[in-house]
Amino acid sequence: MKKYKDSISDYEKPIFNREWNIGFLSLVLISVFALSIWNAAMLQIELDKSTQEYLTDVTSQLSRDIRDSINNKITNLAMAADSLSQFTESRDTDDISGFLTRKSRTLEFDPMILFDRKGGFVSSHTDDGKTRSHPRDFLKLPSVQSSFRGSIQASYMGGESIFYSVPTYINGKVEGVLVGVRSKENMQSLISSKSFSGQMLSCIVDSRGQVVIAPTDLKPFLQLDDIFKNKENEEVIAGIQQMQMDMAENRDGVLKFTAVTKEKLVLSYNPLNINDWFLLTIIPADIISHGLNQYILQTFVIIAATILIFSLFLFAVFRFYNAHKRQLEQVAYIDPLTGGLNNAAFQARYRELSKDMEPCSYSIVLLNVRGFKMVNEQYGTRIGNQTLSYIYRVLKLHLREGQDEFAARGESDHFFLCLKEYRPAALRCRLNDMLHDINAFHDTDLPVLSLSFKQGACLVNDPGQEITQLQDHARIALQSCGTDIRHECAFYDESLIQRLKMEQELNALFEDSIENRHFQVYLQPKIGLKSSRLEGAEALVRWNHPEKGIIFPSDFIPLFESNGKICRLDLYVFTEVCAAIDRWRQEGLPLVPVSVNLSRQHFRDPRFLDTFAGIASGFKIPDKILEFELTESIFFDTQQIKAVKEAIQEMHRLGFLCSLDDFGSGFSSLGLLKEFDVDSLKLDRSFFLNMTGQKAKDVISCLIDLSRHLKVKTVAEGIESMEQVEFLRTMDCDMVQGYVFSAPIPVNKFEKRYLKARP
Ligand code: C2E
Ligand code: MG
Ligand code: MG
């Protein structure tokens, strides 16, 4: 079973969907976050690219500087060698040594040595006049030997010093080799750079990776070989292979790798174009982005904080919205009087239920307390409200659990029910049970009242039909109930609409018809059974409309009863009757009592008889000529019993007679005769429809006996056969009224037939 909550969200078709909004906002927030990350990643890539480009620029410049510097040294050495050619001709060793010593200072060689072919040599001196190295060792070096063959050489020794050698010529022949040695420190200053805030480290290696000049003993150069031994990371292995290939083919390039210290480094290699030497330069990978990373991180923190604050704000807004919604819910869907559903909630719940409702399974019922105004007037609004609340409670107790039934108070004393019931008989039965329980007034301190209800129902054939329309149909059915308190639940059907239309038409015509005397009084004689003569008449109204023709009381009396117009009509008929009697009196015709029907609606005004008495005295109608017929239903209205009793006394005081009409048509009780001081009893025609059985005859006989005993005259209504007349005569019934003698006829006809024709 579907469980319903008394919550706005259960009824509401939201203009905007909360879940969707939360989803949408979350998506926006996630997108903003993802975009920020992507942006940062792109920034990182761009920075890496810039770092590499910058590194390439810087290292190629540096390698050019180094190459130029080495070439300069070679040129300087070659120029010194050229100058030495003259000395070597004179062979003055001291001169040569002095020359070399001077030159070694200006050209920053330490030392400078001149070798001759025979293995002899002259070296520069240090400041204290000593020779620093062991020159004979140099003689065996391949580069020196190569210079004896005429080539200019630059080579290295043990990664510590650079060794330059150029040939010296005499008469165009190589006579010796001039060697210049650059110390480790000298070379280190050559490759040390102030770029990248001093974080850049360079060294010169040959194409096999052997260090020619290492500028420092610091990391990461100590692990330089490790780079080439790294076998773990495939990407690095591929990079290293590429590097080895590039170096073998004298190309420059860049390699990214992670040092053993986990530091990310960028290594650039540039050929020096001197021997197979390369300049290797290493910088930390984040050298450019390092400062920026911090800003990126800060940006992330700011974005995350913004998102968090925004989310908290949204959360607060939703909480506020929910709290506000609950308040609205109270206002919009809860009836403050009963604490239950109101009409809006009823409609919303029906719409929800109708989504999976089977056709022809439910009905919408409307209940309206008759004369609830009287409860308010008699007991006050507080008790009135408590009574409504009590009614709602009892109705709710009758809802079947698990069947999705619900009840709501519509407006004032109207209650709507949605019941899982489709068969009219079963529905009537359930409603009777409910109303019976309401009138039991169990478990309440409220005054015990006899509440009657107008009941209208609409059987739901098509669950898709709009609930407001179904409610309207139930209302139409309810309106068709009229004023009869015994009326059971009325069901809506198309004929009701026709009837409603007709009633609206008749209502619209009423005033005009009263003014233009379209209402006519007909009289139906009451024949005395002992005298077999006219002993009275009943005035019955006919509506003879010029366009609509004759309209019968059954079509308009209940309508005018329900809207109160009947009082006006009764006064009209009463006046017409008085005028007729007045005329008979003036014409010297015999006067017989004439009864007029009096609607129960008059009893709402405690002084209503004053008006009737005023009219009657205006026509100087003698006492006991005018009679009021009260239908038996009025005697069951507990709220009016007292008023009716007093009115009957007042009628007698004013000279009117009073009869109890339609006795036996409903829940007649002999007690009525004892309670109410009526002059005659009109036995309803239903008594005589089936008189064949002895029991029926006995009942009639008993009634007539009792009436006679109480000095109440009996009139049998609706008598159509002489057989009935003869039976009633044997029963000592006083009068007979029915088609057997005459149908109701216009007053002039009545006069002619019954009054003027009398002997
Ligand atoms: P009612 O007061 O019981 O009137 C008797 C009804 O029985 C009349 O119907 C009459 O025409 C009909 N009737 C008389 N004899 C026979 C018969 O032998 N057989 C049959 N089948 N019917 C017979 P009517 O005139 O249609 O009036 C219907 C009801 O309308 C009346 O019942 C009365 O309650 C109400 N009514 C009529 N005129 C007035 C009026 O001026 N004021 C009020 N308040 N009610 C009126
Ligand atoms: Mg009557
Ligand atoms: Mg009657």
Side-chain angles (χ1 to χ4, degrees), residues 701-716:
S701 153
C702 258
L703 264 175
I704 294 172
D705 279 352
L706 181 72
S707 301
R708 195 179 325 105
H709 193 71
L710 293 170
K711 299 199 168 45
V712 173
K713 283 193 168 169
T714 46
V715 182

PDB file of all heavy atoms in Angstrom, residues 701-716:
ATOM      1  N   SER A 701     -58.397   0.681  10.638  1.00  0.00           N
ATOM      2  CA  SER A 701     -59.518   0.726  11.581  1.00  0.00           C
ATOM      3  C   SER A 701     -59.053   1.235  12.941  1.00  0.00           C
ATOM      4  O   SER A 701     -59.694   2.081  13.578  1.00  0.00           O
ATOM      5  CB  SER A 701     -60.126  -0.680  11.671  1.00  0.00           C
ATOM      6  OG  SER A 701     -60.732  -0.880  12.889  1.00  0.00           O
ATOM      7  N   CYS A 702     -57.927   0.726  13.398  1.00  0.00           N
ATOM      8  CA  CYS A 702     -57.350   1.149  14.685  1.00  0.00           C
ATOM      9  C   CYS A 702     -57.059   2.638  14.706  1.00  0.00           C
ATOM     10  O   CYS A 702     -57.352   3.343  15.681  1.00  0.00           O
ATOM     11  CB  CYS A 702     -56.050   0.409  14.922  1.00  0.00           C
ATOM     12  SG  CYS A 702     -56.210  -0.927  16.058  1.00  0.00           S
ATOM     13  N   LEU A 703     -56.434   3.100  13.590  1.00  0.00           N
ATOM     14  CA  LEU A 703     -56.057   4.512  13.498  1.00  0.00           C
ATOM     15  C   LEU A 703     -57.286   5.407  13.592  1.00  0.00           C
ATOM     16  O   LEU A 703     -57.293   6.417  14.303  1.00  0.00           O
ATOM     17  CB  LEU A 703     -55.364   4.770  12.159  1.00  0.00           C
ATOM     18  CG  LEU A 703     -53.837   4.729  12.153  1.00  0.00           C
ATOM     19  CD1 LEU A 703     -53.311   4.886  10.730  1.00  0.00           C
ATOM     20  CD2 LEU A 703     -53.295   5.849  13.034  1.00  0.00           C
ATOM     21  N   ILE A 704     -58.300   5.001  12.853  1.00  0.00           N
ATOM     22  CA  ILE A 704     -59.520   5.826  12.829  1.00  0.00           C
ATOM     23  C   ILE A 704     -60.187   5.827  14.211  1.00  0.00           C
ATOM     24  O   ILE A 704     -60.615   6.876  14.716  1.00  0.00           O
ATOM     25  CB  ILE A 704     -60.479   5.323  11.724  1.00  0.00           C
ATOM     26  CG1 ILE A 704     -59.813   5.563  10.351  1.00  0.00           C
ATOM     27  CG2 ILE A 704     -61.840   6.019  11.802  1.00  0.00           C
ATOM     28  CD1 ILE A 704     -60.542   4.961   9.177  1.00  0.00           C
ATOM     29  N   ASP A 705     -60.196   4.640  14.854  1.00  0.00           N
ATOM     30  CA  ASP A 705     -60.774   4.541  16.211  1.00  0.00           C
ATOM     31  C   ASP A 705     -60.051   5.457  17.178  1.00  0.00           C
ATOM     32  O   ASP A 705     -60.667   6.200  17.942  1.00  0.00           O
ATOM     33  CB  ASP A 705     -60.667   3.103  16.734  1.00  0.00           C
ATOM     34  CG  ASP A 705     -61.786   2.242  16.164  1.00  0.00           C
ATOM     35  OD1 ASP A 705     -62.678   2.829  15.508  1.00  0.00           O
ATOM     36  OD2 ASP A 705     -61.719   1.004  16.355  1.00  0.00           O
ATOM     37  N   LEU A 706     -58.714   5.370  17.115  1.00  0.00           N
ATOM     38  CA  LEU A 706     -57.907   6.178  18.038  1.00  0.00           C
ATOM     39  C   LEU A 706     -58.161   7.663  17.805  1.00  0.00           C
ATOM     40  O   LEU A 706     -58.309   8.443  18.756  1.00  0.00           O
ATOM     41  CB  LEU A 706     -56.427   5.855  17.837  1.00  0.00           C
ATOM     42  CG  LEU A 706     -55.470   6.614  18.747  1.00  0.00           C
ATOM     43  CD1 LEU A 706     -55.558   6.094  20.188  1.00  0.00           C
ATOM     44  CD2 LEU A 706     -54.019   6.493  18.268  1.00  0.00           C
ATOM     45  N   SER A 707     -58.195   8.054  16.525  1.00  0.00           N
ATOM     46  CA  SER A 707     -58.409   9.467  16.200  1.00  0.00           C
ATOM     47  C   SER A 707     -59.744   9.940  16.756  1.00  0.00           C
ATOM     48  O   SER A 707     -59.839  11.023  17.345  1.00  0.00           O
ATOM     49  CB  SER A 707     -58.405   9.674  14.689  1.00  0.00           C
ATOM     50  OG  SER A 707     -57.180   9.253  14.183  1.00  0.00           O
ATOM     51  N   ARG A 708     -60.742   9.092  16.520  1.00  0.00           N
ATOM     52  CA  ARG A 708     -62.074   9.488  17.017  1.00  0.00           C
ATOM     53  C   ARG A 708     -62.032   9.670  18.531  1.00  0.00           C
ATOM     54  O   ARG A 708     -62.585  10.625  19.071  1.00  0.00           O
ATOM     55  CB  ARG A 708     -63.125   8.442  16.639  1.00  0.00           C
ATOM     56  CG  ARG A 708     -64.533   8.982  16.816  1.00  0.00           C
ATOM     57  CD  ARG A 708     -65.654   8.016  16.435  1.00  0.00           C
ATOM     58  NE  ARG A 708     -65.348   7.152  15.304  1.00  0.00           N
ATOM     59  CZ  ARG A 708     -65.055   5.864  15.409  1.00  0.00           C
ATOM     60  NH1 ARG A 708     -64.983   5.299  16.594  1.00  0.00           N
ATOM     61  NH2 ARG A 708     -64.844   5.136  14.346  1.00  0.00           N
ATOM     62  N   HIS A 709     -61.343   8.736  19.189  1.00  0.00           N
ATOM     63  CA  HIS A 709     -61.188   8.782  20.632  1.00  0.00           C
ATOM     64  C   HIS A 709     -60.547  10.089  21.085  1.00  0.00           C
ATOM     65  O   HIS A 709     -60.909  10.676  22.106  1.00  0.00           O
ATOM     66  CB  HIS A 709     -60.337   7.585  21.059  1.00  0.00           C
ATOM     67  CG  HIS A 709     -60.369   7.348  22.522  1.00  0.00           C
ATOM     68  ND1 HIS A 709     -61.496   6.853  23.185  1.00  0.00           N
ATOM     69  CD2 HIS A 709     -59.427   7.552  23.462  1.00  0.00           C
ATOM     70  CE1 HIS A 709     -61.228   6.770  24.455  1.00  0.00           C
ATOM     71  NE2 HIS A 709     -59.974   7.187  24.668  1.00  0.00           N
ATOM     72  N   LEU A 710     -59.577  10.549  20.268  1.00  0.00           N
ATOM     73  CA  LEU A 710     -58.860  11.797  20.617  1.00  0.00           C
ATOM     74  C   LEU A 710     -59.565  13.036  20.052  1.00  0.00           C
ATOM     75  O   LEU A 710     -59.009  14.132  20.081  1.00  0.00           O
ATOM     76  CB  LEU A 710     -57.425  11.740  20.078  1.00  0.00           C
ATOM     77  CG  LEU A 710     -56.498  10.701  20.726  1.00  0.00           C
ATOM     78  CD1 LEU A 710     -55.188  10.579  19.936  1.00  0.00           C
ATOM     79  CD2 LEU A 710     -56.192  11.064  22.169  1.00  0.00           C
ATOM     80  N   LYS A 711     -60.740  12.813  19.471  1.00  0.00           N
ATOM     81  CA  LYS A 711     -61.533  13.895  18.863  1.00  0.00           C
ATOM     82  C   LYS A 711     -60.777  14.550  17.704  1.00  0.00           C
ATOM     83  O   LYS A 711     -60.807  15.761  17.487  1.00  0.00           O
ATOM     84  CB  LYS A 711     -61.914  14.950  19.903  1.00  0.00           C
ATOM     85  CG  LYS A 711     -62.773  14.378  21.021  1.00  0.00           C
ATOM     86  CD  LYS A 711     -63.513  15.448  21.752  1.00  0.00           C
ATOM     87  CE  LYS A 711     -64.582  14.912  22.666  1.00  0.00           C
ATOM     88  NZ  LYS A 711     -64.209  13.770  23.505  1.00  0.00           N
ATOM     89  N   VAL A 712     -60.087  13.722  16.969  1.00  0.00           N
ATOM     90  CA  VAL A 712     -59.371  14.190  15.779  1.00  0.00           C
ATOM     91  C   VAL A 712     -60.091  13.615  14.568  1.00  0.00           C
ATOM     92  O   VAL A 712     -60.328  12.410  14.504  1.00  0.00           O
ATOM     93  CB  VAL A 712     -57.899  13.718  15.800  1.00  0.00           C
ATOM     94  CG1 VAL A 712     -57.194  14.050  14.492  1.00  0.00           C
ATOM     95  CG2 VAL A 712     -57.148  14.331  16.969  1.00  0.00           C
ATOM     96  N   LYS A 713     -60.465  14.491  13.638  1.00  0.00           N
ATOM     97  CA  LYS A 713     -61.185  14.018  12.454  1.00  0.00           C
ATOM     98  C   LYS A 713     -60.228  13.294  11.503  1.00  0.00           C
ATOM     99  O   LYS A 713     -59.041  13.618  11.450  1.00  0.00           O
ATOM    100  CB  LYS A 713     -61.806  15.209  11.724  1.00  0.00           C
ATOM    101  CG  LYS A 713     -63.051  15.727  12.399  1.00  0.00           C
ATOM    102  CD  LYS A 713     -63.778  16.666  11.486  1.00  0.00           C
ATOM    103  CE  LYS A 713     -65.153  16.941  12.063  1.00  0.00           C
ATOM    104  NZ  LYS A 713     -65.815  18.027  11.366  1.00  0.00           N
ATOM    105  N   THR A 714     -60.761  12.320  10.782  1.00  0.00           N
ATOM    106  CA  THR A 714     -59.893  11.598   9.836  1.00  0.00           C
ATOM    107  C   THR A 714     -60.307  11.902   8.397  1.00  0.00           C
ATOM    108  O   THR A 714     -61.494  11.925   8.071  1.00  0.00           O
ATOM    109  CB  THR A 714     -59.981  10.077  10.065  1.00  0.00           C
ATOM    110  OG1 THR A 714     -61.347   9.720  10.203  1.00  0.00           O
ATOM    111  CG2 THR A 714     -59.214   9.658  11.301  1.00  0.00           C
ATOM    112  N   VAL A 715     -59.274  12.162   7.579  1.00  0.00           N
ATOM    113  CA  VAL A 715     -59.502  12.408   6.144  1.00  0.00           C
ATOM    114  C   VAL A 715     -58.642  11.401   5.385  1.00  0.00           C
ATOM    115  O   VAL A 715     -57.442  11.321   5.617  1.00  0.00           O
ATOM    116  CB  VAL A 715     -59.083  13.842   5.739  1.00  0.00           C
ATOM    117  CG1 VAL A 715     -59.372  14.087   4.263  1.00  0.00           C
ATOM    118  CG2 VAL A 715     -59.758  14.878   6.610  1.00  0.00           C
ATOM    119  N   ALA A 716     -59.284  10.635   4.515  1.00  0.00           N
ATOM    120  CA  ALA A 716     -58.516   9.676   3.708  1.00  0.00           C
ATOM    121  C   ALA A 716     -58.153  10.352   2.388  1.00  0.00           C
ATOM    122  O   ALA A 716     -59.024  10.849   1.681  1.00  0.00           O
ATOM    123  CB  ALA A 716     -59.330   8.418   3.472  1.00  0.00           C
TER     124      ALA A 716
END
